Amino acid sequence: MSEKQSKTASSAPPGTRQSRGRARRAAVLAAARRLFAQQGFKGASLAAIAQEAELTDAGLLYHFPSKNHLLLAVVAEGDREQDEALEKVQTAKGLPLIERMAEFGADLEADPLLTALDVTLSAEHLQEDSEVNRYFVARYERFRSMLETAFADAARTGDLRADLDPAAEAVNMTAVIDGLRLQWLLSGGSISMAQNMRDYVRGVIARLRA
């Protein structure tokens, strides 16, 4: 920032400065998400992210003092969006929740950047003892638990077979989602997450009908 820009910024009303600060922070997060998704955490440099966000290196570091701080902020933003997406599912219970999972592939296709970011970061931090690794471990546990509860509820109410294994069904459905996500990305979208997830969920329900 030039001396003139600095004086202009410092003389701007507090609300204007705060608004500009939020906009710059959002620009950094958006740029980091794009580059982390494309190049991974290790491949994307802070300098490249700053350039993508149209900021100086110093401007980026003002908002995020290290690359790790930036990564955790990107992950937290993604977590917030994932929670919002899951709220659509968690309004249902038992069989209705399982039926709603048929559209989860379409939900993932609707946000390709977040989907790519999840795959890239989870693979890159697969065996690390890091905060990002713990984040993905915890999120998978929450997701499987949600599905396990839904299968157990559907069995208890008689909508699905009483002898089904809720834990195994939850693990299998999570694995199918992950596999479709990866195939969708590697195929450039020619393999449909949306349609294949619909087909899978319908097949599961048909197999487990009471």
Side-chain angles (χ1 to χ4, degrees):
M1 181 181 290
S2 68
E3 184 179 350
K4 181 178 179 181
Q5 289 173 318
S6 179
K7 288 179 179 178
T8 301
S10 62
S11 63
T16 302
R17 292 200 299 272
Q18 291 171 3
S19 178
R20 287 174 180 167
R22 286 193 297 268
R24 287 171 184 148
R25 189 179 189 278
V28 173
L29 286 173
R33 174 183 287 197
R34 286 193 296 272
L35 292 184
F36 285 158
Q38 295 166 3
Q39 303 173 17
F41 173 67
K42 296 173 184 175
S45 69
L46 283 177
I49 294 169
Q51 183 176 14
E52 179 88 358
E54 299 183 349
L55 289 175
T56 63
D57 293 358
L60 185 151
L61 292 172
Y62 173 79
H63 295 284
F64 303 98
S66 72
K67 191 177 180 184
N68 199 54
H69 281 88
L70 177 55
L71 172 63
L72 293 176
V74 169
V75 168
E77 180 73 7
D79 199 24
R80 182 188 63 76
E81 293 179 17
Q82 289 282 357
D83 285 346
E84 288 178 358
L86 284 176
E87 281 178 7
K88 302 175 186 176
V89 177
Q90 290 174 328
T91 54
K93 304 293 180 183
L95 182 59
L97 188 151
I98 297 168
E99 291 173 332
R100 176 61 182 79
M101 290 304 298
E103 296 305 315
F104 199 62
D107 293 341
L108 293 174
E109 285 189 6
D111 196 342
L113 200 55
L114 183 58
T115 298
L117 180 70
D118 276 355
V119 171
T120 301
L121 291 182
S122 60
E124 197 171 36
H125 295 82
L126 188 62
Q127 295 180 322
E128 290 183 359
D129 181 18
S130 67
E131 198 163 346
V132 177
N133 173 274
R134 290 189 288 274
Y135 158 79
F136 282 109
V137 168
R139 198 173 77 188
Y140 270 104
E141 287 176 352
R142 291 198 307 271
F143 191 76
R144 287 193 304 269
S145 177
M146 178 189 73
L147 292 177
E148 184 175 344
T149 298
F151 278 107
D153 287 346
R156 186 174 57 254
T157 58
D159 290 322
L160 296 180
R161 282 175 16 205
D163 63 345
L164 67 81
D165 185 337
E169 296 297 340
V171 168
N172 290 339
M173 184 168 287
T174 303
V176 168
I177 292 169
D178 269 0
L180 286 175
R181 233 175 17 166
L182 184 58
Q183 292 184 69
W184 180 71
L185 288 168
L186 292 176
S187 70
S190 64
I191 293 176
S192 171
M193 275 194 291
Q195 189 56 51
N196 282 289
M197 192 62 193
R198 291 185 189 111
D199 292 344
Y200 172 75
V201 172
R202 288 167 187 158
V204 167
I205 293 172
R207 172 171 57 83
L208 296 177
R209 280 287 187 190

Short mmCIF file of all heavy atoms in Angstrom, two decimals, residues 33 78 81-86 88-89 100-119 135-136 139-140 143 173-185 189 191-198:
data_model
loop_
_atom_site.label_atom_id
_atom_site.label_comp_id
_atom_site.label_asym_id
_atom_site.label_seq_id
_atom_site.Cartn_x
_atom_site.Cartn_y
_atom_site.Cartn_z
N ARG A 33 -8.79 -21.03 -1.13
CA ARG A 33 -9.61 -22.22 -1.42
C ARG A 33 -9.34 -22.71 -2.84
O ARG A 33 -9.17 -23.91 -3.06
CB ARG A 33 -11.09 -21.90 -1.23
CG ARG A 33 -12.00 -23.04 -1.64
CD ARG A 33 -13.47 -22.70 -1.54
NE ARG A 33 -13.91 -22.65 -0.15
CZ ARG A 33 -15.19 -22.70 0.21
NH1 ARG A 33 -16.14 -22.78 -0.69
NH2 ARG A 33 -15.53 -22.65 1.48
N GLY A 78 -15.08 -23.98 5.17
CA GLY A 78 -15.66 -25.15 4.53
C GLY A 78 -16.55 -25.93 5.47
O GLY A 78 -17.61 -26.44 5.09
N GLU A 81 -19.91 -24.31 5.75
CA GLU A 81 -20.75 -24.58 4.58
C GLU A 81 -21.25 -26.02 4.57
O GLU A 81 -22.38 -26.29 4.18
CB GLU A 81 -19.95 -24.27 3.31
CG GLU A 81 -19.64 -22.79 3.15
CD GLU A 81 -18.84 -22.50 1.90
OE1 GLU A 81 -18.78 -23.37 1.01
OE2 GLU A 81 -18.25 -21.41 1.82
N GLN A 82 -20.38 -26.95 5.01
CA GLN A 82 -20.81 -28.35 5.10
C GLN A 82 -21.94 -28.50 6.12
O GLN A 82 -22.89 -29.24 5.90
CB GLN A 82 -19.62 -29.23 5.50
CG GLN A 82 -18.58 -29.41 4.41
CD GLN A 82 -18.99 -30.41 3.35
OE1 GLN A 82 -20.04 -31.03 3.44
NE2 GLN A 82 -18.16 -30.57 2.34
N ASP A 83 -21.83 -27.80 7.25
CA ASP A 83 -22.87 -27.87 8.26
C ASP A 83 -24.19 -27.34 7.70
O ASP A 83 -25.26 -27.89 7.99
CB ASP A 83 -22.48 -27.06 9.50
CG ASP A 83 -21.43 -27.79 10.35
OD1 ASP A 83 -21.22 -29.00 10.13
OD2 ASP A 83 -20.80 -27.13 11.20
N GLU A 84 -24.12 -26.27 6.91
CA GLU A 84 -25.34 -25.73 6.30
C GLU A 84 -25.95 -26.74 5.34
O GLU A 84 -27.17 -26.91 5.28
CB GLU A 84 -25.02 -24.43 5.57
CG GLU A 84 -24.73 -23.25 6.50
CD GLU A 84 -24.38 -21.98 5.74
OE1 GLU A 84 -24.33 -22.04 4.48
OE2 GLU A 84 -24.16 -20.95 6.39
N ALA A 85 -25.08 -27.44 4.57
CA ALA A 85 -25.58 -28.45 3.64
C ALA A 85 -26.21 -29.62 4.40
O ALA A 85 -27.26 -30.15 4.00
CB ALA A 85 -24.44 -28.95 2.75
N LEU A 86 -25.59 -30.02 5.52
CA LEU A 86 -26.11 -31.15 6.28
C LEU A 86 -27.41 -30.79 7.00
O LEU A 86 -28.20 -31.69 7.31
CB LEU A 86 -25.07 -31.62 7.30
CG LEU A 86 -23.91 -32.43 6.72
CD1 LEU A 86 -22.91 -32.76 7.82
CD2 LEU A 86 -24.41 -33.71 6.06
N LYS A 88 -29.90 -29.51 5.71
CA LYS A 88 -30.98 -29.93 4.82
C LYS A 88 -31.32 -31.40 5.06
O LYS A 88 -32.45 -31.82 4.91
CB LYS A 88 -30.57 -29.74 3.36
CG LYS A 88 -30.18 -28.33 2.97
CD LYS A 88 -29.67 -28.31 1.54
CE LYS A 88 -29.12 -26.97 1.14
NZ LYS A 88 -28.54 -26.99 -0.24
N VAL A 89 -30.31 -32.18 5.41
CA VAL A 89 -30.49 -33.61 5.62
C VAL A 89 -31.00 -33.88 7.03
O VAL A 89 -31.88 -34.71 7.24
CB VAL A 89 -29.16 -34.36 5.39
CG1 VAL A 89 -29.32 -35.84 5.67
CG2 VAL A 89 -28.66 -34.13 3.97
N ARG A 100 -33.28 -38.84 1.63
CA ARG A 100 -32.71 -37.54 1.27
C ARG A 100 -31.26 -37.67 0.83
O ARG A 100 -30.78 -36.85 0.03
CB ARG A 100 -32.84 -36.59 2.47
CG ARG A 100 -32.20 -35.22 2.28
CD ARG A 100 -32.83 -34.45 1.12
NE ARG A 100 -32.19 -33.17 0.90
CZ ARG A 100 -31.04 -32.96 0.26
NH1 ARG A 100 -30.35 -34.00 -0.21
NH2 ARG A 100 -30.57 -31.75 0.08
N MET A 101 -30.55 -38.69 1.30
CA MET A 101 -29.17 -38.89 0.90
C MET A 101 -29.04 -39.16 -0.59
O MET A 101 -27.97 -39.01 -1.17
CB MET A 101 -28.55 -40.05 1.69
CG MET A 101 -28.32 -39.75 3.16
SD MET A 101 -27.30 -38.27 3.45
CE MET A 101 -25.78 -38.78 2.66
N ALA A 102 -30.13 -39.53 -1.24
CA ALA A 102 -30.11 -39.75 -2.69
C ALA A 102 -29.72 -38.47 -3.42
O ALA A 102 -29.17 -38.54 -4.53
CB ALA A 102 -31.48 -40.23 -3.17
N GLU A 103 -29.98 -37.31 -2.82
CA GLU A 103 -29.65 -36.04 -3.46
C GLU A 103 -28.32 -35.48 -2.98
O GLU A 103 -27.95 -34.36 -3.38
CB GLU A 103 -30.77 -35.02 -3.18
CG GLU A 103 -32.10 -35.41 -3.80
CD GLU A 103 -31.98 -35.65 -5.30
OE1 GLU A 103 -31.32 -34.83 -5.99
OE2 GLU A 103 -32.52 -36.66 -5.78
N PHE A 104 -27.59 -36.21 -2.15
CA PHE A 104 -26.35 -35.68 -1.62
C PHE A 104 -25.29 -35.54 -2.70
O PHE A 104 -24.45 -34.65 -2.67
CB PHE A 104 -25.82 -36.56 -0.48
CG PHE A 104 -24.84 -35.86 0.42
CD1 PHE A 104 -25.22 -34.75 1.15
CD2 PHE A 104 -23.53 -36.31 0.53
CE1 PHE A 104 -24.31 -34.09 1.98
CE2 PHE A 104 -22.62 -35.67 1.35
CZ PHE A 104 -23.01 -34.56 2.09
N GLY A 105 -25.32 -36.44 -3.68
CA GLY A 105 -24.39 -36.32 -4.80
C GLY A 105 -24.61 -35.03 -5.58
O GLY A 105 -23.66 -34.36 -5.98
N ALA A 106 -25.87 -34.67 -5.76
CA ALA A 106 -26.19 -33.41 -6.44
C ALA A 106 -25.74 -32.23 -5.59
O ALA A 106 -25.26 -31.22 -6.13
CB ALA A 106 -27.70 -33.33 -6.70
N ASP A 107 -25.86 -32.33 -4.26
CA ASP A 107 -25.38 -31.27 -3.38
C ASP A 107 -23.88 -31.06 -3.56
O ASP A 107 -23.40 -29.92 -3.61
CB ASP A 107 -25.66 -31.62 -1.91
CG ASP A 107 -27.14 -31.65 -1.58
OD1 ASP A 107 -27.94 -31.06 -2.35
OD2 ASP A 107 -27.51 -32.26 -0.57
N LEU A 108 -23.12 -32.15 -3.65
CA LEU A 108 -21.67 -32.06 -3.81
C LEU A 108 -21.30 -31.49 -5.18
O LEU A 108 -20.36 -30.70 -5.30
CB LEU A 108 -21.03 -33.43 -3.63
CG LEU A 108 -21.12 -34.04 -2.22
CD1 LEU A 108 -20.57 -35.46 -2.22
CD2 LEU A 108 -20.37 -33.18 -1.21
N GLU A 109 -22.04 -31.87 -6.21
CA GLU A 109 -21.77 -31.33 -7.54
C GLU A 109 -22.04 -29.83 -7.60
O GLU A 109 -21.41 -29.12 -8.40
CB GLU A 109 -22.63 -32.05 -8.59
CG GLU A 109 -22.15 -33.46 -8.92
CD GLU A 109 -22.88 -34.05 -10.11
OE1 GLU A 109 -23.69 -33.32 -10.74
OE2 GLU A 109 -22.66 -35.24 -10.42
N ALA A 110 -22.95 -29.35 -6.76
CA ALA A 110 -23.31 -27.94 -6.79
C ALA A 110 -22.19 -27.04 -6.27
O ALA A 110 -22.19 -25.84 -6.53
CB ALA A 110 -24.58 -27.70 -5.98
N ASP A 111 -21.23 -27.62 -5.53
CA ASP A 111 -20.10 -26.83 -5.01
C ASP A 111 -18.80 -27.56 -5.36
O ASP A 111 -18.17 -28.16 -4.49
CB ASP A 111 -20.22 -26.64 -3.50
CG ASP A 111 -19.30 -25.53 -2.98
OD1 ASP A 111 -18.36 -25.16 -3.70
OD2 ASP A 111 -19.55 -25.03 -1.88
N PRO A 112 -18.40 -27.54 -6.63
CA PRO A 112 -17.24 -28.33 -7.06
C PRO A 112 -15.94 -27.92 -6.39
O PRO A 112 -15.07 -28.77 -6.16
CB PRO A 112 -17.19 -28.09 -8.57
CG PRO A 112 -17.95 -26.81 -8.81
CD PRO A 112 -19.00 -26.78 -7.75
N LEU A 113 -15.80 -26.63 -6.06
CA LEU A 113 -14.55 -26.18 -5.45
C LEU A 113 -14.40 -26.75 -4.04
O LEU A 113 -13.33 -27.22 -3.66
CB LEU A 113 -14.50 -24.65 -5.42
CG LEU A 113 -13.12 -24.03 -5.26
CD1 LEU A 113 -12.15 -24.51 -6.33
CD2 LEU A 113 -13.21 -22.52 -5.28
N LEU A 114 -15.47 -26.71 -3.27
CA LEU A 114 -15.42 -27.27 -1.91
C LEU A 114 -15.21 -28.78 -1.96
O LEU A 114 -14.47 -29.34 -1.14
CB LEU A 114 -16.70 -26.93 -1.15
CG LEU A 114 -16.75 -27.38 0.31
CD1 LEU A 114 -15.58 -26.78 1.10
CD2 LEU A 114 -18.08 -27.00 0.95
N THR A 115 -15.84 -29.44 -2.93
CA THR A 115 -15.66 -30.88 -3.08
C THR A 115 -14.21 -31.21 -3.40
O THR A 115 -13.61 -32.12 -2.80
CB THR A 115 -16.59 -31.41 -4.19
OG1 THR A 115 -17.95 -31.18 -3.81
CG2 THR A 115 -16.39 -32.90 -4.42
N ALA A 116 -13.61 -30.47 -4.32
CA ALA A 116 -12.21 -30.69 -4.67
C ALA A 116 -11.29 -30.38 -3.49
O ALA A 116 -10.31 -31.09 -3.24
CB ALA A 116 -11.82 -29.84 -5.87
N LEU A 117 -11.61 -29.33 -2.76
CA LEU A 117 -10.80 -28.95 -1.60
C LEU A 117 -10.81 -30.06 -0.55
O LEU A 117 -9.77 -30.42 0.00
CB LEU A 117 -11.34 -27.65 -1.00
CG LEU A 117 -10.59 -27.13 0.23
CD1 LEU A 117 -9.21 -26.60 -0.17
CD2 LEU A 117 -11.40 -26.03 0.91
N ASP A 118 -11.98 -30.61 -0.28
CA ASP A 118 -12.10 -31.69 0.71
C ASP A 118 -11.25 -32.89 0.32
O ASP A 118 -10.53 -33.46 1.14
CB ASP A 118 -13.56 -32.12 0.84
CG ASP A 118 -14.33 -31.24 1.81
OD1 ASP A 118 -13.72 -30.37 2.44
OD2 ASP A 118 -15.54 -31.43 1.93
N VAL A 119 -11.35 -33.30 -0.94
CA VAL A 119 -10.59 -34.47 -1.41
C VAL A 119 -9.09 -34.20 -1.32
O VAL A 119 -8.32 -35.03 -0.83
CB VAL A 119 -10.99 -34.83 -2.85
CG1 VAL A 119 -10.06 -35.89 -3.43
CG2 VAL A 119 -12.43 -35.34 -2.88
N TYR A 135 -9.65 -32.68 12.12
CA TYR A 135 -10.91 -32.12 11.61
C TYR A 135 -11.63 -33.13 10.73
O TYR A 135 -12.83 -33.38 10.89
CB TYR A 135 -10.61 -30.83 10.84
CG TYR A 135 -11.67 -30.43 9.85
CD1 TYR A 135 -12.84 -29.80 10.26
CD2 TYR A 135 -11.51 -30.70 8.49
CE1 TYR A 135 -13.81 -29.43 9.35
CE2 TYR A 135 -12.48 -30.34 7.58
CZ TYR A 135 -13.63 -29.71 8.01
OH TYR A 135 -14.59 -29.36 7.10
N PHE A 136 -10.91 -33.73 9.77
CA PHE A 136 -11.55 -34.69 8.87
C PHE A 136 -11.97 -35.96 9.60
O PHE A 136 -13.04 -36.52 9.31
CB PHE A 136 -10.62 -35.01 7.70
CG PHE A 136 -10.60 -33.95 6.63
CD1 PHE A 136 -9.50 -33.14 6.45
CD2 PHE A 136 -11.70 -33.76 5.82
CE1 PHE A 136 -9.50 -32.15 5.48
CE2 PHE A 136 -11.72 -32.76 4.84
CZ PHE A 136 -10.60 -31.96 4.67
N ARG A 139 -15.14 -35.11 11.42
CA ARG A 139 -16.28 -34.90 10.52
C ARG A 139 -16.80 -36.22 9.96
O ARG A 139 -18.01 -36.43 9.86
CB ARG A 139 -15.91 -33.95 9.38
CG ARG A 139 -17.16 -33.39 8.70
CD ARG A 139 -16.83 -32.33 7.71
NE ARG A 139 -16.33 -32.91 6.47
CZ ARG A 139 -15.82 -32.20 5.48
NH1 ARG A 139 -15.71 -30.90 5.60
NH2 ARG A 139 -15.40 -32.78 4.38
N TYR A 140 -15.89 -37.13 9.62
CA TYR A 140 -16.32 -38.45 9.16
C TYR A 140 -17.08 -39.18 10.26
O TYR A 140 -18.09 -39.86 10.00
CB TYR A 140 -15.12 -39.28 8.71
CG TYR A 140 -14.78 -39.12 7.24
CD1 TYR A 140 -13.71 -38.35 6.83
CD2 TYR A 140 -15.55 -39.75 6.26
CE1 TYR A 140 -13.40 -38.19 5.50
CE2 TYR A 140 -15.25 -39.61 4.92
CZ TYR A 140 -14.18 -38.82 4.54
OH TYR A 140 -13.88 -38.66 3.20
N PHE A 143 -20.56 -37.79 10.46
CA PHE A 143 -21.37 -38.17 9.30
C PHE A 143 -21.82 -39.62 9.40
O PHE A 143 -22.99 -39.94 9.20
CB PHE A 143 -20.55 -37.95 8.03
CG PHE A 143 -21.35 -38.04 6.76
CD1 PHE A 143 -22.18 -37.00 6.37
CD2 PHE A 143 -21.29 -39.17 5.95
CE1 PHE A 143 -22.92 -37.08 5.21
CE2 PHE A 143 -22.02 -39.26 4.79
CZ PHE A 143 -22.85 -38.21 4.41
N MET A 173 -22.27 -46.53 2.88
CA MET A 173 -22.80 -45.34 2.19
C MET A 173 -21.76 -44.23 2.16
O MET A 173 -21.61 -43.54 1.13
CB MET A 173 -24.08 -44.86 2.86
CG MET A 173 -24.74 -43.69 2.14
SD MET A 173 -26.44 -43.32 2.71
CE MET A 173 -27.36 -44.70 2.01
N THR A 174 -21.03 -44.06 3.25
CA THR A 174 -19.96 -43.05 3.29
C THR A 174 -18.89 -43.38 2.27
O THR A 174 -18.37 -42.49 1.58
CB THR A 174 -19.35 -42.97 4.70
OG1 THR A 174 -20.38 -42.69 5.64
CG2 THR A 174 -18.29 -41.88 4.78
N ALA A 175 -18.55 -44.67 2.15
CA ALA A 175 -17.52 -45.09 1.20
C ALA A 175 -17.97 -44.85 -0.24
O ALA A 175 -17.17 -44.44 -1.10
CB ALA A 175 -17.19 -46.57 1.39
N VAL A 176 -19.24 -45.08 -0.53
CA VAL A 176 -19.76 -44.84 -1.88
C VAL A 176 -19.69 -43.35 -2.21
O VAL A 176 -19.29 -42.95 -3.31
CB VAL A 176 -21.20 -45.37 -2.01
CG1 VAL A 176 -21.85 -44.87 -3.30
CG2 VAL A 176 -21.21 -46.89 -1.98
N ILE A 177 -20.07 -42.51 -1.26
CA ILE A 177 -19.99 -41.07 -1.48
C ILE A 177 -18.56 -40.65 -1.79
O ILE A 177 -18.30 -39.90 -2.73
CB ILE A 177 -20.52 -40.30 -0.25
CG1 ILE A 177 -22.03 -40.52 -0.09
CG2 ILE A 177 -20.22 -38.81 -0.36
CD1 ILE A 177 -22.59 -40.02 1.21
N ASP A 178 -17.61 -41.15 -0.99
CA ASP A 178 -16.21 -40.81 -1.21
C ASP A 178 -15.72 -41.29 -2.57
O ASP A 178 -15.02 -40.57 -3.29
CB ASP A 178 -15.34 -41.43 -0.11
CG ASP A 178 -15.14 -40.50 1.06
OD1 ASP A 178 -15.68 -39.38 1.03
OD2 ASP A 178 -14.45 -40.88 2.02
N GLY A 179 -16.08 -42.53 -2.92
CA GLY A 179 -15.65 -43.07 -4.20
C GLY A 179 -16.22 -42.29 -5.38
O GLY A 179 -15.51 -42.01 -6.36
N LEU A 180 -17.48 -41.93 -5.29
CA LEU A 180 -18.10 -41.15 -6.36
C LEU A 180 -17.49 -39.76 -6.47
O LEU A 180 -17.29 -39.23 -7.57
CB LEU A 180 -19.61 -41.03 -6.12
CG LEU A 180 -20.43 -42.29 -6.38
CD1 LEU A 180 -21.88 -42.08 -5.98
CD2 LEU A 180 -20.34 -42.70 -7.86
N ARG A 181 -17.16 -39.18 -5.31
CA ARG A 181 -16.52 -37.86 -5.32
C ARG A 181 -15.21 -37.90 -6.08
O ARG A 181 -14.94 -37.04 -6.93
CB ARG A 181 -16.25 -37.45 -3.85
CG ARG A 181 -16.77 -36.13 -3.48
CD ARG A 181 -16.61 -35.76 -2.05
NE ARG A 181 -15.66 -36.50 -1.24
CZ ARG A 181 -15.24 -36.09 -0.05
NH1 ARG A 181 -15.66 -34.93 0.42
NH2 ARG A 181 -14.41 -36.79 0.67
N LEU A 182 -14.40 -38.89 -5.79
CA LEU A 182 -13.09 -39.01 -6.43
C LEU A 182 -13.25 -39.30 -7.92
O LEU A 182 -12.56 -38.69 -8.76
CB LEU A 182 -12.28 -40.11 -5.76
CG LEU A 182 -10.84 -40.30 -6.24
CD1 LEU A 182 -10.04 -39.01 -6.08
CD2 LEU A 182 -10.17 -41.44 -5.50
N GLN A 183 -14.15 -40.21 -8.28
CA GLN A 183 -14.34 -40.54 -9.70
C GLN A 183 -14.89 -39.34 -10.47
O GLN A 183 -14.52 -39.12 -11.63
CB GLN A 183 -15.30 -41.74 -9.83
CG GLN A 183 -14.70 -43.03 -9.32
CD GLN A 183 -15.64 -44.19 -9.56
OE1 GLN A 183 -15.88 -44.60 -10.70
NE2 GLN A 183 -16.21 -44.73 -8.49
N TRP A 184 -15.78 -38.59 -9.84
CA TRP A 184 -16.34 -37.40 -10.48
C TRP A 184 -15.24 -36.40 -10.79
O TRP A 184 -15.18 -35.84 -11.89
CB TRP A 184 -17.40 -36.79 -9.56
CG TRP A 184 -18.07 -35.56 -10.08
CD1 TRP A 184 -18.97 -35.47 -11.10
CD2 TRP A 184 -17.90 -34.22 -9.58
NE1 TRP A 184 -19.38 -34.16 -11.27
CE2 TRP A 184 -18.74 -33.38 -10.35
CE3 TRP A 184 -17.14 -33.66 -8.56
CZ2 TRP A 184 -18.83 -32.00 -10.13
CZ3 TRP A 184 -17.24 -32.30 -8.33
CH2 TRP A 184 -18.06 -31.49 -9.11
N LEU A 185 -14.35 -36.18 -9.83
CA LEU A 185 -13.25 -35.23 -10.03
C LEU A 185 -12.28 -35.73 -11.11
O LEU A 185 -11.88 -34.96 -11.99
CB LEU A 185 -12.50 -35.01 -8.72
CG LEU A 185 -13.24 -34.18 -7.66
CD1 LEU A 185 -12.53 -34.27 -6.32
CD2 LEU A 185 -13.37 -32.73 -8.10
N GLY A 189 -16.09 -34.74 -14.32
CA GLY A 189 -17.53 -34.60 -14.21
C GLY A 189 -18.32 -35.53 -15.11
O GLY A 189 -19.55 -35.53 -15.06
N ILE A 191 -18.50 -38.75 -14.92
CA ILE A 191 -19.16 -39.71 -14.04
C ILE A 191 -20.01 -38.91 -13.06
O ILE A 191 -19.49 -38.07 -12.32
CB ILE A 191 -18.14 -40.59 -13.28
CG1 ILE A 191 -17.41 -41.50 -14.27
CG2 ILE A 191 -18.83 -41.42 -12.20
CD1 ILE A 191 -16.31 -42.33 -13.65
N SER A 192 -21.29 -39.16 -13.07
CA SER A 192 -22.23 -38.32 -12.31
C SER A 192 -22.33 -38.77 -10.86
O SER A 192 -22.70 -39.91 -10.58
CB SER A 192 -23.61 -38.38 -12.96
OG SER A 192 -24.58 -37.76 -12.14
N MET A 193 -22.00 -37.89 -9.95
CA MET A 193 -22.25 -38.16 -8.53
C MET A 193 -23.75 -38.16 -8.28
O MET A 193 -24.26 -38.99 -7.52
CB MET A 193 -21.61 -37.08 -7.65
CG MET A 193 -20.17 -37.31 -7.32
SD MET A 193 -19.60 -36.23 -5.97
CE MET A 193 -19.65 -34.61 -6.76
N ALA A 194 -24.45 -37.21 -8.89
CA ALA A 194 -25.87 -37.04 -8.62
C ALA A 194 -26.66 -38.29 -8.98
O ALA A 194 -27.38 -38.86 -8.15
CB ALA A 194 -26.40 -35.84 -9.41
N GLN A 195 -26.51 -38.78 -10.21
CA GLN A 195 -27.31 -39.93 -10.65
C GLN A 195 -26.87 -41.21 -9.98
O GLN A 195 -27.71 -42.03 -9.57
CB GLN A 195 -27.22 -40.08 -12.17
CG GLN A 195 -28.19 -41.12 -12.73
CD GLN A 195 -29.64 -40.82 -12.34
OE1 GLN A 195 -30.13 -39.71 -12.52
NE2 GLN A 195 -30.32 -41.81 -11.76
N ASN A 196 -25.57 -41.42 -9.86
CA ASN A 196 -25.11 -42.66 -9.25
C ASN A 196 -25.46 -42.74 -7.77
O ASN A 196 -25.73 -43.83 -7.25
CB ASN A 196 -23.60 -42.81 -9.45
CG ASN A 196 -23.26 -43.28 -10.85
OD1 ASN A 196 -23.50 -44.42 -11.22
ND2 ASN A 196 -22.70 -42.38 -11.65
N MET A 197 -25.47 -41.60 -7.08
CA MET A 197 -25.87 -41.62 -5.67
C MET A 197 -27.35 -41.92 -5.55
O MET A 197 -27.78 -42.66 -4.66
CB MET A 197 -25.53 -40.28 -5.03
CG MET A 197 -25.63 -40.29 -3.50
SD MET A 197 -24.48 -41.47 -2.77
CE MET A 197 -25.12 -41.55 -1.09
N ARG A 198 -28.15 -41.36 -6.45
CA ARG A 198 -29.59 -41.68 -6.44
C ARG A 198 -29.80 -43.18 -6.65
O ARG A 198 -30.59 -43.81 -5.94
CB ARG A 198 -30.31 -40.90 -7.54
CG ARG A 198 -30.37 -39.40 -7.29
CD ARG A 198 -31.20 -38.69 -8.35
NE ARG A 198 -31.09 -37.24 -8.23
CZ ARG A 198 -30.47 -36.45 -9.10
NH1 ARG A 198 -29.91 -36.97 -10.19
NH2 ARG A 198 -30.41 -35.15 -8.89
#
